[in-house]
Amino acid sequence: MSQLRFNVVEEAFSRKAIEVKLPKELPNEYYAKYVFNREKMFKYLPSKAYKALVNAIDNKEPISRELADSVAAGMKQWALEMGARHYTHWFHPLTDGTAEKHDSFIEHDGKGGVIEEFAGKLLVQQEPDASSFPNGGIRNTFEARGYSAWDISSPAFILDNTLCIPTIFISYTGESLDYKTPLLRALNSVDKAATAVAKYFDENVKHVNSYLGWEQEYFLVDEALYSARPDLVLTGRTLMGHESAKNQQLEDHYFGAIPSRVEAFMLDLELECHKLGIPAKTRHNEVAPNQFELAPIFEETNLANDHNLLLMSLIAEVARRHNFRVLLHEKPFAGINGSGKHNNWSLGTDTGVLLFAPGKTPMQNLQFITFIANVMAAVYRHNGLLKASISSATNAHRLGANEAPPAIISMFLGSQVSAILDKLETNTKDELISLAGKEGMTLNVSQIPELLIDNTDRNRTSPFAFTGNRFEFRAVGSSANCASAMIALNAAVAEQLIMFKKAVDERIAKGETLVHALLQEVKNLIVWSKPIHFDGNGYSDEWKAEAAKRGLDCETSTPLIFDAYLAPASIEMFKKTGVFSEVELNARNEVKWEIYTKKVQIEARVLGDLAMNHVIPVATRYQSILLDNVYKIKSLFPKEKGLAIAEQDMTLIESMASHMSLIKNMVNEMVEARKKANKIEDERSKAIAYHDTVVPYFDQIRYHIDKLELMVDNEMWPLPKYRELLFIR
Ligand code: ADP
Ligand code: MG
């Protein structure tokens, strides 16, 4: 075997689990140990400051300079006691991931020494040089200032001895340069709009929260094997590799016994999560070999998203301790399942009612159906935008592959909710009036006012499914920042609820009863948004044809999918909800196209290099061994016999020659296509050129490389094979 490959495979396969010591304390004693939560605020802040801060957080109000000074002093005290010596504003730039710039707490004391200092102004606002973050042309590099400002709704935490302060990141002129700012705006907007509608049912509702429970899928690969695969190291996925004879066909991995090395890693990761206040709860094997999942208990969306971003950095760090590398890429291996990040999403009132859960009384059930119908309408109106919100160069490999939802957004409701909708739709006007009569509103469905939604009525092929008391947006990619999907979804629903409220109020003003007005408007929504409702098999080809007929967005080219952000309906919706200005939308799309191009560009280069420097030389060497063999056979044996003996080798030589020449030609063509695309100035056109003229080479080149992998002597093949990468011992 190639010496490197031999060594790394041996190293990987001989590794043992690394033992993780369970703390002596119970989880409730170390949970959120590294978080400046209310308990620590209470302990480290003067009581007046504590009350003022909690009040500001609860009522979403800004804090004063004095309060900031007081909070900063308490936070610093706590952080120093916990061993932290640095602090950083922690923000989410438009690259996926987080950014931080560390400063230490020290200041000159004027006597040649230092004192630990952390002023309120440093807590609430900083002006990092923002010129090197993607900004889509909002900032010119000579205007390098951006502001980062503390998001008081997300608690500070300590990571690697550094106090991290969750912040928003905006340009000098006020445009958002991050994910958090628009997310907070969208959550604010859906809060207002949903509260107004929830008040029809309960006067006491003051706020509606958006909740997110993400399920993070990931792959683990042994670090020795990983380091011998330049494609994994540089692009996060394998650009070549013949499928392993055994992969997931036995269906023996899902929920299977977790290998001991992995179990130790998971335990370690959960402990770290818990100390950072991430309520990690569920862990299991996923469908593909080496694929796993972690899910926490759901939380308020902004906090849940911070926790997901934190998890994505934690998981990489903890994996290294266990000699693993974690792959968050949506499709690291061809031929087996890719990874998503299901976003379980719901709305709930501050009075404790989940708005997508049926209730016990007829009025609660009308509220339930009201919110379901509004979500349907929002998802229908903005199905193209929602798809754009989850699209990326990497997720494109997963969507529409046969284990993931296609690049079409539809909504699964299940048989029970579907039956209720049908019933409501076909009710005549009179029936509706009688429904609203004294005896109460039973929705006239089953005469039992208490709906018990069957949770097992699941459809795994739907990108957006109702699952009992929430919706599960499954099309989100495993490496994505959930904020992107959550911004589009919450804003779209906010817009819809604003329109709904207006329509209902107009009816009431004309003298209709509340129940009648609600039922009529709900019925309108059900009828109008019918095309989005699909409970069948989303993986089937018939659905693709049907979806096109229904007018759903069926675009599959990622750069073109991004256009949905700039559609008039999207611009208007984002303006109305205060989430994005048109300037911001334009700038952010520039960034999306630019990132798309760069990711494809890197993959093309890595593929070209590996093909020319790893594969072709080894194949040539093996071919020459074969040639040598043929030569010797022919010189030893009589002509006819020699030919007969050498025949198979000669066929192999020819076949290899053909694959090699095709690879070389296509790599050259791909380089030319890139050169041509690179000359294009406009980011959108460039991304389209990369999609249309560069990407198509990937699978073709790979096809021939994978053929060669089967022909070349196993001992010579330099790259760890799928069968070695995918089965942790
Ligand atoms: P699955 O069977 O789909 O894997 P789980 O029961 O593991 O579902 O839950 C998945 C995620 O959904 C968890 O993070 C869970 O906390 C979250 N979840 C449950 N109820 C809600 C809700 N009402 N709103 C948002 N997320 C929720
Ligand atoms: Mg789920």
Side-chain angles (χ1 to χ4, degrees), residues 211-215 282 284 293 295-299 342 344-347 354 458 460 467 469-472:
Y211 296 107
L212 167 63
W214 41 265
E215 302 165 54
T282 309
H284 60 77
E293 177 184 305
I297 302 169
F298 70 96
E299 302 175 285
H342 297 176
N344 294 269
W345 167 80
S346 67
L347 295 175
L354 278 180
R458 293 279 182 105
R460 298 263 161 215
T467 49
N469 62 3
R470 61 189 186 272
F471 288 93
E472 194 171 332

PDB file of all heavy atoms in Angstrom, residues 211-215 282 284 293 295-299 342 344-347 354 458 460 467 469-472, ligand 1:
ATOM      1  N   TYR A 211     -39.460  30.042  18.753  1.00  0.00           N
ATOM      2  CA  TYR A 211     -38.601  29.004  19.323  1.00  0.00           C
ATOM      3  C   TYR A 211     -37.925  28.178  18.233  1.00  0.00           C
ATOM      4  O   TYR A 211     -38.512  27.922  17.185  1.00  0.00           O
ATOM      5  CB  TYR A 211     -39.405  28.058  20.214  1.00  0.00           C
ATOM      6  CG  TYR A 211     -39.985  28.744  21.417  1.00  0.00           C
ATOM      7  CD1 TYR A 211     -41.353  29.013  21.507  1.00  0.00           C
ATOM      8  CD2 TYR A 211     -39.157  29.154  22.454  1.00  0.00           C
ATOM      9  CE1 TYR A 211     -41.875  29.665  22.617  1.00  0.00           C
ATOM     10  CE2 TYR A 211     -39.675  29.813  23.562  1.00  0.00           C
ATOM     11  CZ  TYR A 211     -41.032  30.062  23.639  1.00  0.00           C
ATOM     12  OH  TYR A 211     -41.536  30.707  24.728  1.00  0.00           O
ATOM     13  N   LEU A 212     -36.716  27.778  18.533  1.00  0.00           N
ATOM     14  CA  LEU A 212     -35.957  26.965  17.582  1.00  0.00           C
ATOM     15  C   LEU A 212     -35.315  25.790  18.311  1.00  0.00           C
ATOM     16  O   LEU A 212     -34.645  25.966  19.329  1.00  0.00           O
ATOM     17  CB  LEU A 212     -34.864  27.829  16.927  1.00  0.00           C
ATOM     18  CG  LEU A 212     -33.776  27.104  16.133  1.00  0.00           C
ATOM     19  CD1 LEU A 212     -34.354  26.370  14.935  1.00  0.00           C
ATOM     20  CD2 LEU A 212     -32.715  28.097  15.674  1.00  0.00           C
ATOM     21  N   GLY A 213     -35.539  24.602  17.786  1.00  0.00           N
ATOM     22  CA  GLY A 213     -34.816  23.421  18.272  1.00  0.00           C
ATOM     23  C   GLY A 213     -34.110  22.824  17.069  1.00  0.00           C
ATOM     24  O   GLY A 213     -34.757  22.253  16.204  1.00  0.00           O
ATOM     25  N   TRP A 214     -32.804  23.001  16.983  1.00  0.00           N
ATOM     26  CA  TRP A 214     -32.080  22.486  15.813  1.00  0.00           C
ATOM     27  C   TRP A 214     -31.572  21.075  16.100  1.00  0.00           C
ATOM     28  O   TRP A 214     -31.248  20.732  17.222  1.00  0.00           O
ATOM     29  CB  TRP A 214     -30.913  23.400  15.433  1.00  0.00           C
ATOM     30  CG  TRP A 214     -30.131  23.940  16.592  1.00  0.00           C
ATOM     31  CD1 TRP A 214     -30.307  25.149  17.214  1.00  0.00           C
ATOM     32  CD2 TRP A 214     -29.054  23.288  17.314  1.00  0.00           C
ATOM     33  NE1 TRP A 214     -29.428  25.287  18.265  1.00  0.00           N
ATOM     34  CE2 TRP A 214     -28.640  24.172  18.345  1.00  0.00           C
ATOM     35  CE3 TRP A 214     -28.409  22.064  17.187  1.00  0.00           C
ATOM     36  CZ2 TRP A 214     -27.608  23.864  19.242  1.00  0.00           C
ATOM     37  CZ3 TRP A 214     -27.375  21.755  18.081  1.00  0.00           C
ATOM     38  CH2 TRP A 214     -26.992  22.651  19.089  1.00  0.00           C
ATOM     39  N   GLU A 215     -31.532  20.279  15.054  1.00  0.00           N
ATOM     40  CA  GLU A 215     -30.920  18.947  15.147  1.00  0.00           C
ATOM     41  C   GLU A 215     -29.710  18.973  14.239  1.00  0.00           C
ATOM     42  O   GLU A 215     -29.852  19.126  13.035  1.00  0.00           O
ATOM     43  CB  GLU A 215     -31.899  17.875  14.675  1.00  0.00           C
ATOM     44  CG  GLU A 215     -33.208  17.835  15.446  1.00  0.00           C
ATOM     45  CD  GLU A 215     -34.277  17.028  14.718  1.00  0.00           C
ATOM     46  OE1 GLU A 215     -34.016  15.864  14.380  1.00  0.00           O
ATOM     47  OE2 GLU A 215     -35.361  17.575  14.458  1.00  0.00           O
ATOM     48  N   THR A 282     -30.231  15.007  23.030  1.00  0.00           N
ATOM     49  CA  THR A 282     -30.351  13.781  22.254  1.00  0.00           C
ATOM     50  C   THR A 282     -29.088  13.528  21.450  1.00  0.00           C
ATOM     51  O   THR A 282     -28.523  14.447  20.874  1.00  0.00           O
ATOM     52  CB  THR A 282     -31.542  13.918  21.287  1.00  0.00           C
ATOM     53  OG1 THR A 282     -32.679  14.328  22.025  1.00  0.00           O
ATOM     54  CG2 THR A 282     -31.837  12.610  20.592  1.00  0.00           C
ATOM     55  N   HIS A 284     -27.517  10.371  18.696  1.00  0.00           N
ATOM     56  CA  HIS A 284     -27.663   9.043  18.125  1.00  0.00           C
ATOM     57  C   HIS A 284     -26.901   8.910  16.814  1.00  0.00           C
ATOM     58  O   HIS A 284     -26.488   9.895  16.214  1.00  0.00           O
ATOM     59  CB  HIS A 284     -29.142   8.667  17.939  1.00  0.00           C
ATOM     60  CG  HIS A 284     -29.919   9.587  17.032  1.00  0.00           C
ATOM     61  ND1 HIS A 284     -29.813   9.547  15.666  1.00  0.00           N
ATOM     62  CD2 HIS A 284     -30.802  10.569  17.291  1.00  0.00           C
ATOM     63  CE1 HIS A 284     -30.618  10.452  15.133  1.00  0.00           C
ATOM     64  NE2 HIS A 284     -31.228  11.097  16.090  1.00  0.00           N
ATOM     65  N   GLU A 293     -25.845  12.578  15.177  1.00  0.00           N
ATOM     66  CA  GLU A 293     -26.673  13.765  15.384  1.00  0.00           C
ATOM     67  C   GLU A 293     -26.663  14.188  16.841  1.00  0.00           C
ATOM     68  O   GLU A 293     -26.615  13.356  17.743  1.00  0.00           O
ATOM     69  CB  GLU A 293     -28.119  13.476  14.956  1.00  0.00           C
ATOM     70  CG  GLU A 293     -29.058  14.648  15.222  1.00  0.00           C
ATOM     71  CD  GLU A 293     -30.520  14.342  14.893  1.00  0.00           C
ATOM     72  OE1 GLU A 293     -30.798  13.930  13.755  1.00  0.00           O
ATOM     73  OE2 GLU A 293     -31.357  14.516  15.787  1.00  0.00           O
ATOM     74  N   ALA A 295     -28.945  16.923  19.324  1.00  0.00           N
ATOM     75  CA  ALA A 295     -30.044  17.887  19.401  1.00  0.00           C
ATOM     76  C   ALA A 295     -30.228  18.357  20.832  1.00  0.00           C
ATOM     77  O   ALA A 295     -30.216  17.541  21.757  1.00  0.00           O
ATOM     78  CB  ALA A 295     -31.339  17.271  18.882  1.00  0.00           C
ATOM     79  N   PRO A 296     -30.364  19.662  21.004  1.00  0.00           N
ATOM     80  CA  PRO A 296     -30.640  20.195  22.335  1.00  0.00           C
ATOM     81  C   PRO A 296     -32.146  20.340  22.543  1.00  0.00           C
ATOM     82  O   PRO A 296     -32.929  20.110  21.620  1.00  0.00           O
ATOM     83  CB  PRO A 296     -29.999  21.573  22.284  1.00  0.00           C
ATOM     84  CG  PRO A 296     -30.207  22.000  20.867  1.00  0.00           C
ATOM     85  CD  PRO A 296     -30.212  20.751  20.022  1.00  0.00           C
ATOM     86  N   ILE A 297     -32.538  20.734  23.735  1.00  0.00           N
ATOM     87  CA  ILE A 297     -33.928  21.125  23.969  1.00  0.00           C
ATOM     88  C   ILE A 297     -34.120  22.495  23.306  1.00  0.00           C
ATOM     89  O   ILE A 297     -33.226  23.343  23.373  1.00  0.00           O
ATOM     90  CB  ILE A 297     -34.203  21.240  25.476  1.00  0.00           C
ATOM     91  CG1 ILE A 297     -33.905  19.908  26.165  1.00  0.00           C
ATOM     92  CG2 ILE A 297     -35.631  21.690  25.740  1.00  0.00           C
ATOM     93  CD1 ILE A 297     -33.897  19.995  27.677  1.00  0.00           C
ATOM     94  N   PHE A 298     -35.269  22.699  22.702  1.00  0.00           N
ATOM     95  CA  PHE A 298     -35.463  23.966  21.987  1.00  0.00           C
ATOM     96  C   PHE A 298     -35.437  25.170  22.927  1.00  0.00           C
ATOM     97  O   PHE A 298     -35.735  25.049  24.113  1.00  0.00           O
ATOM     98  CB  PHE A 298     -36.755  23.939  21.176  1.00  0.00           C
ATOM     99  CG  PHE A 298     -38.037  23.955  21.987  1.00  0.00           C
ATOM    100  CD1 PHE A 298     -38.714  25.141  22.225  1.00  0.00           C
ATOM    101  CD2 PHE A 298     -38.575  22.790  22.488  1.00  0.00           C
ATOM    102  CE1 PHE A 298     -39.905  25.162  22.954  1.00  0.00           C
ATOM    103  CE2 PHE A 298     -39.756  22.787  23.223  1.00  0.00           C
ATOM    104  CZ  PHE A 298     -40.425  23.975  23.459  1.00  0.00           C
ATOM    105  N   GLU A 299     -35.055  26.311  22.349  1.00  0.00           N
ATOM    106  CA  GLU A 299     -34.960  27.555  23.117  1.00  0.00           C
ATOM    107  C   GLU A 299     -35.479  28.700  22.254  1.00  0.00           C
ATOM    108  O   GLU A 299     -35.745  28.519  21.064  1.00  0.00           O
ATOM    109  CB  GLU A 299     -33.498  27.857  23.460  1.00  0.00           C
ATOM    110  CG  GLU A 299     -32.802  26.764  24.256  1.00  0.00           C
ATOM    111  CD  GLU A 299     -31.324  27.064  24.450  1.00  0.00           C
ATOM    112  OE1 GLU A 299     -30.542  26.917  23.477  1.00  0.00           O
ATOM    113  OE2 GLU A 299     -30.951  27.455  25.548  1.00  0.00           O
ATOM    114  N   HIS A 342     -32.036  20.069  10.794  1.00  0.00           N
ATOM    115  CA  HIS A 342     -33.474  20.318  10.887  1.00  0.00           C
ATOM    116  C   HIS A 342     -33.743  21.450  11.859  1.00  0.00           C
ATOM    117  O   HIS A 342     -33.261  21.436  12.981  1.00  0.00           O
ATOM    118  CB  HIS A 342     -34.197  19.052  11.366  1.00  0.00           C
ATOM    119  CG  HIS A 342     -34.050  17.908  10.401  1.00  0.00           C
ATOM    120  ND1 HIS A 342     -34.538  16.656  10.664  1.00  0.00           N
ATOM    121  CD2 HIS A 342     -33.486  17.844   9.191  1.00  0.00           C
ATOM    122  CE1 HIS A 342     -34.265  15.858   9.634  1.00  0.00           C
ATOM    123  NE2 HIS A 342     -33.621  16.559   8.737  1.00  0.00           N
ATOM    124  N   ASN A 344     -36.501  22.856  13.972  1.00  0.00           N
ATOM    125  CA  ASN A 344     -37.838  22.751  14.561  1.00  0.00           C
ATOM    126  C   ASN A 344     -38.211  24.133  15.054  1.00  0.00           C
ATOM    127  O   ASN A 344     -37.496  24.728  15.862  1.00  0.00           O
ATOM    128  CB  ASN A 344     -37.835  21.763  15.726  1.00  0.00           C
ATOM    129  CG  ASN A 344     -37.559  20.350  15.263  1.00  0.00           C
ATOM    130  OD1 ASN A 344     -38.472  19.595  14.963  1.00  0.00           O
ATOM    131  ND2 ASN A 344     -36.286  19.985  15.155  1.00  0.00           N
ATOM    132  N   TRP A 345     -39.331  24.628  14.558  1.00  0.00           N
ATOM    133  CA  TRP A 345     -39.656  26.034  14.807  1.00  0.00           C
ATOM    134  C   TRP A 345     -41.102  26.171  15.276  1.00  0.00           C
ATOM    135  O   TRP A 345     -41.995  25.492  14.765  1.00  0.00           O
ATOM    136  CB  TRP A 345     -39.447  26.805  13.497  1.00  0.00           C
ATOM    137  CG  TRP A 345     -40.013  28.181  13.491  1.00  0.00           C
ATOM    138  CD1 TRP A 345     -39.448  29.294  14.042  1.00  0.00           C
ATOM    139  CD2 TRP A 345     -41.237  28.608  12.890  1.00  0.00           C
ATOM    140  NE1 TRP A 345     -40.263  30.381  13.827  1.00  0.00           N
ATOM    141  CE2 TRP A 345     -41.363  29.991  13.125  1.00  0.00           C
ATOM    142  CE3 TRP A 345     -42.240  27.952  12.175  1.00  0.00           C
ATOM    143  CZ2 TRP A 345     -42.447  30.729  12.674  1.00  0.00           C
ATOM    144  CZ3 TRP A 345     -43.329  28.686  11.726  1.00  0.00           C
ATOM    145  CH2 TRP A 345     -43.422  30.064  11.977  1.00  0.00           C
ATOM    146  N   SER A 346     -41.290  27.010  16.247  1.00  0.00           N
ATOM    147  CA  SER A 346     -42.661  27.276  16.693  1.00  0.00           C
ATOM    148  C   SER A 346     -42.772  28.688  17.245  1.00  0.00           C
ATOM    149  O   SER A 346     -41.767  29.374  17.431  1.00  0.00           O
ATOM    150  CB  SER A 346     -43.100  26.260  17.745  1.00  0.00           C
ATOM    151  OG  SER A 346     -42.343  26.431  18.927  1.00  0.00           O
ATOM    152  N   LEU A 347     -44.008  29.112  17.481  1.00  0.00           N
ATOM    153  CA  LEU A 347     -44.282  30.394  18.127  1.00  0.00           C
ATOM    154  C   LEU A 347     -45.043  30.107  19.403  1.00  0.00           C
ATOM    155  O   LEU A 347     -45.904  29.215  19.430  1.00  0.00           O
ATOM    156  CB  LEU A 347     -45.129  31.293  17.214  1.00  0.00           C
ATOM    157  CG  LEU A 347     -44.493  31.752  15.898  1.00  0.00           C
ATOM    158  CD1 LEU A 347     -45.517  32.519  15.059  1.00  0.00           C
ATOM    159  CD2 LEU A 347     -43.260  32.612  16.146  1.00  0.00           C
ATOM    160  N   LEU A 354     -48.362  27.361  23.158  1.00  0.00           N
ATOM    161  CA  LEU A 354     -47.689  27.107  21.882  1.00  0.00           C
ATOM    162  C   LEU A 354     -48.724  27.276  20.771  1.00  0.00           C
ATOM    163  O   LEU A 354     -49.735  26.576  20.745  1.00  0.00           O
ATOM    164  CB  LEU A 354     -47.110  25.694  21.845  1.00  0.00           C
ATOM    165  CG  LEU A 354     -45.758  25.487  22.527  1.00  0.00           C
ATOM    166  CD1 LEU A 354     -45.329  24.027  22.407  1.00  0.00           C
ATOM    167  CD2 LEU A 354     -44.680  26.394  21.945  1.00  0.00           C
ATOM    168  N   ARG A 458     -45.621  10.950  10.209  1.00  0.00           N
ATOM    169  CA  ARG A 458     -44.438  11.678   9.778  1.00  0.00           C
ATOM    170  C   ARG A 458     -44.174  11.472   8.301  1.00  0.00           C
ATOM    171  O   ARG A 458     -44.448  10.424   7.768  1.00  0.00           O
ATOM    172  CB  ARG A 458     -43.194  11.178  10.542  1.00  0.00           C
ATOM    173  CG  ARG A 458     -43.209  11.492  11.992  1.00  0.00           C
ATOM    174  CD  ARG A 458     -42.758  12.907  12.179  1.00  0.00           C
ATOM    175  NE  ARG A 458     -42.697  13.260  13.581  1.00  0.00           N
ATOM    176  CZ  ARG A 458     -41.568  13.370  14.262  1.00  0.00           C
ATOM    177  NH1 ARG A 458     -40.419  13.102  13.686  1.00  0.00           N
ATOM    178  NH2 ARG A 458     -41.589  13.745  15.510  1.00  0.00           N
ATOM    179  N   ARG A 460     -40.844  11.947   6.056  1.00  0.00           N
ATOM    180  CA  ARG A 460     -39.429  12.318   6.053  1.00  0.00           C
ATOM    181  C   ARG A 460     -39.002  12.982   4.749  1.00  0.00           C
ATOM    182  O   ARG A 460     -37.889  13.465   4.638  1.00  0.00           O
ATOM    183  CB  ARG A 460     -38.563  11.084   6.307  1.00  0.00           C
ATOM    184  CG  ARG A 460     -38.810  10.454   7.646  1.00  0.00           C
ATOM    185  CD  ARG A 460     -37.779  10.912   8.664  1.00  0.00           C
ATOM    186  NE  ARG A 460     -38.267  10.675  10.002  1.00  0.00           N
ATOM    187  CZ  ARG A 460     -38.020  11.464  11.054  1.00  0.00           C
ATOM    188  NH1 ARG A 460     -37.305  12.551  10.908  1.00  0.00           N
ATOM    189  NH2 ARG A 460     -38.489  11.179  12.240  1.00  0.00           N
ATOM    190  N   THR A 467     -45.125  18.873  12.682  1.00  0.00           N
ATOM    191  CA  THR A 467     -44.853  17.684  13.502  1.00  0.00           C
ATOM    192  C   THR A 467     -45.492  17.804  14.887  1.00  0.00           C
ATOM    193  O   THR A 467     -44.839  17.672  15.910  1.00  0.00           O
ATOM    194  CB  THR A 467     -43.338  17.420  13.648  1.00  0.00           C
ATOM    195  OG1 THR A 467     -42.705  18.651  14.029  1.00  0.00           O
ATOM    196  CG2 THR A 467     -42.719  16.919  12.366  1.00  0.00           C
ATOM    197  N   ASN A 469     -46.630  20.018  17.151  1.00  0.00           N
ATOM    198  CA  ASN A 469     -46.793  21.318  17.809  1.00  0.00           C
ATOM    199  C   ASN A 469     -45.804  22.332  17.258  1.00  0.00           C
ATOM    200  O   ASN A 469     -45.572  23.385  17.817  1.00  0.00           O
ATOM    201  CB  ASN A 469     -46.621  21.188  19.328  1.00  0.00           C
ATOM    202  CG  ASN A 469     -45.220  20.714  19.684  1.00  0.00           C
ATOM    203  OD1 ASN A 469     -44.360  20.542  18.823  1.00  0.00           O
ATOM    204  ND2 ASN A 469     -44.982  20.519  20.965  1.00  0.00           N
ATOM    205  N   ARG A 470     -45.178  21.970  16.147  1.00  0.00           N
ATOM    206  CA  ARG A 470     -44.140  22.807  15.546  1.00  0.00           C
ATOM    207  C   ARG A 470     -43.997  22.448  14.077  1.00  0.00           C
ATOM    208  O   ARG A 470     -44.564  21.444  13.623  1.00  0.00           O
ATOM    209  CB  ARG A 470     -42.812  22.561  16.236  1.00  0.00           C
ATOM    210  CG  ARG A 470     -42.343  21.101  16.100  1.00  0.00           C
ATOM    211  CD  ARG A 470     -41.143  20.839  16.981  1.00  0.00           C
ATOM    212  NE  ARG A 470     -40.563  19.528  16.815  1.00  0.00           N
ATOM    213  CZ  ARG A 470     -40.937  18.446  17.487  1.00  0.00           C
ATOM    214  NH1 ARG A 470     -41.944  18.509  18.343  1.00  0.00           N
ATOM    215  NH2 ARG A 470     -40.316  17.297  17.290  1.00  0.00           N
ATOM    216  N   PHE A 471     -43.263  23.247  13.377  1.00  0.00           N
ATOM    217  CA  PHE A 471     -42.885  22.912  12.011  1.00  0.00           C
ATOM    218  C   PHE A 471     -41.410  22.556  12.008  1.00  0.00           C
ATOM    219  O   PHE A 471     -40.626  23.109  12.764  1.00  0.00           O
ATOM    220  CB  PHE A 471     -43.129  24.090  11.070  1.00  0.00           C
ATOM    221  CG  PHE A 471     -44.584  24.347  10.810  1.00  0.00           C
ATOM    222  CD1 PHE A 471     -45.289  25.260  11.578  1.00  0.00           C
ATOM    223  CD2 PHE A 471     -45.256  23.647   9.815  1.00  0.00           C
ATOM    224  CE1 PHE A 471     -46.647  25.480  11.356  1.00  0.00           C
ATOM    225  CE2 PHE A 471     -46.601  23.860   9.590  1.00  0.00           C
ATOM    226  CZ  PHE A 471     -47.303  24.784  10.360  1.00  0.00           C
ATOM    227  N   GLU A 472     -41.084  21.650  11.118  1.00  0.00           N
ATOM    228  CA  GLU A 472     -39.695  21.230  11.024  1.00  0.00           C
ATOM    229  C   GLU A 472     -39.198  21.615   9.636  1.00  0.00           C
ATOM    230  O   GLU A 472     -39.591  21.004   8.644  1.00  0.00           O
ATOM    231  CB  GLU A 472     -39.626  19.713  11.249  1.00  0.00           C
ATOM    232  CG  GLU A 472     -38.250  19.201  11.508  1.00  0.00           C
ATOM    233  CD  GLU A 472     -38.246  17.738  11.944  1.00  0.00           C
ATOM    234  OE1 GLU A 472     -39.254  17.284  12.541  1.00  0.00           O
ATOM    235  OE2 GLU A 472     -37.264  17.054  11.668  1.00  0.00           O
TER     236      GLU A 472
HETATM  237  P1  ADP B   1     -37.245  14.111  16.057  1.00  0.00           P
HETATM  238  O1  ADP B   1     -38.112  12.950  16.345  1.00  0.00           O
HETATM  239  O2  ADP B   1     -37.674  14.867  14.872  1.00  0.00           O
HETATM  240  O3  ADP B   1     -35.777  13.817  16.060  1.00  0.00           O
HETATM  241  P2  ADP B   1     -37.096  15.341  18.682  1.00  0.00           P
HETATM  242  O4  ADP B   1     -38.167  14.989  19.646  1.00  0.00           O
HETATM  243  O5  ADP B   1     -35.747  14.774  18.895  1.00  0.00           O
HETATM  244  O6  ADP B   1     -37.600  15.127  17.213  1.00  0.00           O
HETATM  245  O7  ADP B   1     -37.020  16.903  18.700  1.00  0.00           O
HETATM  246  C1  ADP B   1     -36.255  17.583  17.810  1.00  0.00           C
HETATM  247  C2  ADP B   1     -36.089  18.994  18.285  1.00  0.00           C
HETATM  248  O8  ADP B   1     -37.355  19.671  18.289  1.00  0.00           O
HETATM  249  C3  ADP B   1     -35.563  19.130  19.730  1.00  0.00           C
HETATM  250  O9  ADP B   1     -34.586  20.148  19.722  1.00  0.00           O
HETATM  251  C4  ADP B   1     -36.776  19.576  20.472  1.00  0.00           C
HETATM  252  O10 ADP B   1     -36.448  20.294  21.631  1.00  0.00           O
HETATM  253  C5  ADP B   1     -37.432  20.458  19.444  1.00  0.00           C
HETATM  254  N1  ADP B   1     -38.808  20.846  19.736  1.00  0.00           N
HETATM  255  C6  ADP B   1     -39.756  20.152  20.376  1.00  0.00           C
HETATM  256  N2  ADP B   1     -40.876  20.900  20.514  1.00  0.00           N
HETATM  257  C7  ADP B   1     -40.614  22.102  19.934  1.00  0.00           C
HETATM  258  C8  ADP B   1     -41.347  23.298  19.741  1.00  0.00           C
HETATM  259  N3  ADP B   1     -42.587  23.433  20.154  1.00  0.00           N
HETATM  260  N4  ADP B   1     -40.746  24.319  19.110  1.00  0.00           N
HETATM  261  C9  ADP B   1     -39.499  24.211  18.669  1.00  0.00           C
HETATM  262  N5  ADP B   1     -38.764  23.125  18.818  1.00  0.00           N
HETATM  263  C10 ADP B   1     -39.301  22.070  19.440  1.00  0.00           C
END
